[in-house]
Amino acid sequence: MGVLDLLWRHLLPDLFKADRGVGIAPDRAQDVPHVGTHEIRRGEACPELVVPANARLGTGVTLHRRAQVPFEGPDLVLLDTEPQGVHDTDQLLCLGIAGSRGRPKRRARLLEAAGFHQVTRPLQLRRRRNSEPEPDQRRRDADPASTPCNHASRFHAVVLAFILGFAPLGGAAAAPDLPAPLAEGDFIAFDSEQAALGQLLFYDKILSGNQNISCGTCHHHDHASSDGLSLGIGEGGNGVGPLRTAGEGRDRIKRRIARNSPGLWNLGHKDIKVLFHDGRLSPSPLYGNGFNSPAEEWLPQGLNSLLAAQVLLPLASPAEMAGDPGENEVAGAVIDRIDKGWPILAKRVRTIPEYGEKFVAAFDHVARPEDVTVVEIADAIAAFIGTEFRNHDSPFDRHLAGDATALEPAERRGMELFFGEAGCSGCHSGPLLSDQSFHALGLPAFGPGRKRMWDPMPRDVGRMGESDELRDAYRFRTPFLRNVALTAPYGHNGAMPTLEEMVRHHLDPAASRARWMPAAAALPPAPWLADIDFVIQSDVLEMARQERALDIALPPLTNEDVQELVAFLNALTGETAGLRPLGRPENVPSGLPVD
């Protein structure tokens, strides 16, 4: 009864009193004033209230007037309250997590809603006034009775520490929250015969307007399902990967592809809800075909997956595969309406006898080659991508499955940083290490941009191009991370050539932009495009807008921390990533050359 009475008298009445004067710091934590180490006094709190290094508090705990205390070690900390105007301990420990990085989501929402910061009032942590001398720590250590803690405050400190996951002084930090291991049941069960057919179509240039590029050109096995370029060379180029050229004469490219070619790993996962850097494809009942896409109501019905819907869009893109009007019938049809080129491509495929036979064998509802439409073509390619690039046998995956020896020491420390104090898992969460949401990282801008019709400059506004919401400007989807070490360069435009540089950019975007040089971009030479490639950087107002749009504010890390994070990211590489079930075919039924 004593414990229940103590709970009733000292905890429950305050639990439901929300002091709305102390709120949650905004996600854009760069606007939150930082409290320097010179403003922190150590050893002036109850000994039970300890904040360990790995408390998973992200960038700090919100204070009165939205300041932050950075907790960097297992020491007792107390803000010098005078400069910040903190008049009570409930404001010092109001429990609102600054920003969304590393937030213990369920706890934070519960505590915010209940106003649980009120329970810290009985702690009455000592406030040192300017007229008071520095406390004699040795005398206080020798005489515990001289500390400003009573039994009630000790109880609240223990309860608070327990709920937040704090450790007692000298105890071990809480283990990071890790995603569940991936399993075969997490993926769409594609048909193997359709996947084998999809392998041929994936590498067959017959699906491009000018029959000179395939899906596999920019998502090649030799480059881990990407192309190794910052911005791809689409229709009109020659070769594969970093050696691909921009073409010659009348056939040379007229523009670069606006964004980096993403890897295709694990895109058959059932949890995927959005595709493309700007999220322009997602499941939706809006148009009656199951998807919200640029094709709107003209996207055909009957597609077997989000991945199949994704397959169709590059086929209708002039820069990627369709070509320009006047060059071929597909390009002319696409200009009229996005869906009008697909029947032309379907007819090309089904009239090749070998393809016709394979479609009849692979699809139960296809009785004769004439029944083949672009839906079956997309479904077959989706089956290939969804099975061929399924891979989750990395050291990290083995660690999730219970192998305590799977990670090297540096990789393990990097994992603890990633899911702990570094805050990476605030965005890279979930089974595929992506929140599938959109964030502005402030990457250097270059290239043709993904312009909207009314854009006066070659810029890329990211998610806003799809949503038409100003708040989405310059935000891009969080990428999936398994096998990320194999798919350099990084960012929506491939601005960062290495993982280390991408990590460092996250830590200090402004400094990263300042030191970035155009030579860092992997762009095959195209002198006739030189005036466009970097012209956006001369637009002072646009650059200022992009610099202001920033969603990340991560805690500072040491060089050793960065190396350990990179080690962990390398530990996301599958042991069999280079051993794909089908690989690249030697030839395809159309007889066209295979890249």
Side-chain angles (χ1 to χ4, degrees):
M1 291 300 294
V3 172
L4 291 177
D5 181 66
L6 192 59
L7 278 170
W8 177 255
R9 288 189 293 109
H10 295 287
L11 178 60
L12 296 180
D14 281 326
L15 182 60
F16 300 101
K17 294 179 182 177
D19 179 0
R20 295 307 176 188
V22 182
I24 300 300
D27 274 346
R28 298 191 176 183
Q30 73 272 14
D31 296 329
V32 181
H34 182 73
V35 180
T37 55
H38 65 283
E39 296 176 274
I40 295 177
R41 302 290 180 264
R42 300 182 180 276
E44 296 187 23
C46 299
E48 289 90 345
L49 190 59
V50 176
V51 182
N54 191 19
R56 284 174 287 157
L57 288 181
T59 55
V61 174
T62 57
L63 300 172
H64 190 54
R65 298 183 182 175
R66 300 294 195 267
Q68 299 177 60
V69 174
F71 292 126
E72 297 180 347
D75 297 314
L76 306 178
V77 296
L78 179 63
L79 178 73
D80 183 350
T81 58
E82 199 69 37
Q84 294 297 328
V86 178
H87 56 75
D88 207 344
T89 49
D90 67 314
Q91 293 175 342
L92 176 63
L93 296 168
C94 69
L95 308 184
I97 309 304
S100 59
R101 309 296 181 260
R103 165 162 44 191
K105 294 183 177 63
R106 286 174 293 181
R107 296 172 185 161
R109 285 197 294 266
L110 171 65
L111 297 180
E112 177 193 359
F116 193 70
H117 57 273
Q118 294 287 335
V119 303
T120 60
R121 279 188 172 174
L123 288 173
Q124 292 302 312
L125 299 183
R126 180 177 172 185
R127 177 176 172 181
R128 181 176 57 80
R129 303 199 184 325
N130 290 337
S131 59
E132 292 180 10
E134 281 287 328
D136 186 339
Q137 183 65 47
R138 287 173 297 180
R139 178 179 59 80
R140 293 199 313 156
D141 289 346
D143 183 11
S146 66
T147 64
C149 298
N150 54 32
H151 291 295
S153 66
R154 286 174 181 269
F155 169 77
H156 283 92
V158 171
V159 171
L160 186 62
F162 174 77
I163 292 179
L164 283 176
F166 291 174
L169 187 61
D177 289 328
L178 301 179
L182 291 178
E184 291 301 308
D186 297 330
F187 295 85
I188 299 171
F190 290 108
D191 181 85
S192 60
E193 196 167 4
Q194 292 177 17
L197 172 57
Q199 177 214 24
L200 301 175
L201 293 164
F202 185 83
Y203 276 101
D204 201 329
K205 296 179 180 179
I206 198 171
L207 288 177
S208 63
N210 291 320
Q211 303 187 50
N212 60 3
I213 188 172
S214 72
C215 305
T217 303
C218 296
H219 299 279
H220 203 278
H221 276 80
D222 288 352
H223 301 285
S225 76
S226 185
D227 63 0
L229 298 174
S230 293
L231 302 176
I233 295 291
E235 201 283 330
N238 293 304
V240 176
L243 299 180
R244 186 165 173 78
T245 65
E248 300 175 346
R250 296 178 58 186
D251 295 332
R252 70 186 189 182
I253 67 169
K254 297 176 176 60
R255 67 194 72 80
R256 299 187 192 275
I257 295 175
R259 292 176 180 155
N260 178 256
S261 173
L264 303 180
W265 299 103
N266 297 316
L267 294 187
H269 195 279
K270 296 175 182 176
D271 188 57
I272 293 180
K273 298 297 187 290
V274 63
L275 287 176
F276 293 103
H277 290 292
D278 56 9
R280 63 185 182 272
L281 177 62
S282 60
S284 171
L286 183 61
Y287 296 110
N289 49 31
F291 306 99
N292 183 3
S293 79
E296 299 178 342
E297 65 265 35
W298 297 298
L299 192 76
Q301 297 194 20
L303 295 165
N304 67 12
S305 61
L306 185 68
L307 189 50
Q310 183 271 334
V311 166
L312 291 181
L313 299 183
L315 305 183
S317 167
E320 294 180 69
M321 296 182 70
D324 289 303
E327 293 180 343
N328 64 79
E329 57 181 345
V330 174
V334 167
I335 289 297
D336 185 24
R337 204 172 71 190
I338 189 172
D339 64 315
K340 289 193 173 181
W342 294 328
I344 299 171
L345 296 174
K347 183 177 180 180
R348 281 187 188 176
V349 170
R350 68 174 176 249
T351 53
I352 296 174
E354 185 177 350
Y355 270 134
E357 295 171 3
K358 289 181 180 295
F359 273 101
V360 171
F363 289 88
D364 292 339
H365 65 275
V366 176
R368 54 184 187 155
E370 290 84 351
D371 297 334
V372 175
T373 71
V374 76
V375 171
E376 287 74 37
I377 292 172
D379 284 351
I381 295 176
F384 170 68
I385 295 172
T387 55
E388 180 74 358
F389 296 105
R390 182 185 306 175
N391 184 244
H392 47 91
D393 60 357
S394 69
F396 175 63
D397 289 299
R398 289 192 286 109
H399 174 83
L400 293 180
D403 184 351
T405 65
L407 295 174
E408 298 294 331
E411 296 167 348
R412 178 183 288 273
R413 288 191 296 272
M415 178 191 70
E416 292 169 352
L417 282 167
F418 186 96
F419 291 99
E421 63 188 277
C424 309
S425 61
C427 294
H428 290 284
S429 57
L432 297 175
L433 302 181
S434 169
D435 60 3
Q436 300 190 61
S437 189
F438 304 88
H439 307 280
L441 302 186
L443 287 166
F446 59 91
R450 188 171 178 85
K451 291 179 58 179
R452 298 172 298 169
M453 290 177 59
W454 52 87
D455 273 336
M457 62 197 77
R459 66 178 180 177
D460 194 331
V461 296
R463 177 64 174 167
M464 189 175 80
E466 162 63 20
S467 70
D468 286 327
E469 295 281 350
L470 186 61
R471 64 186 178 185
D472 289 333
Y474 314 114
R475 288 177 165 168
F476 296 87
R477 188 199 64 176
T478 306
F480 308 122
L481 290 188
R482 278 178 175 77
N483 291 332
V484 66
L486 304 178
T487 56
Y490 303 102
H492 70 274
N493 58 2
M496 296 297 149
T498 67
L499 277 175
E500 179 176 342
E501 287 169 285
M502 192 60 173
V503 170
R504 292 189 184 278
H505 177 85
H506 280 70
L507 297 175
D508 193 342
S512 175
R513 286 173 70 105
R515 65 174 175 263
W516 190 86
M517 300 295 289
L523 301 175
W528 59 95
L529 299 177
D531 291 341
I532 299 175
D533 282 341
F534 299 99
V535 67
I536 190 62
Q537 295 195 3
S538 64
D539 190 318
V540 176
L541 294 179
E542 176 63 14
M543 290 299 93
R545 283 190 288 269
Q546 294 195 23
E547 289 173 9
R548 288 195 301 269
L550 194 64
D551 292 332
I552 52 173
L554 301 179
L557 298 178
T558 67
N559 286 331
E560 183 180 7
D561 292 336
V562 170
Q563 297 305 319
E564 289 169 351
L565 277 174
V566 172
F568 170 66
L569 293 173
N570 277 279
L572 299 176
T573 303
E575 294 181 359
T576 61
L579 303 173
R580 300 296 81 219
L582 294 175
R584 178 185 65 86
E586 292 295 325
N587 49 68
V588 291
S590 70
L592 293 169
V594 176
D595 284 326

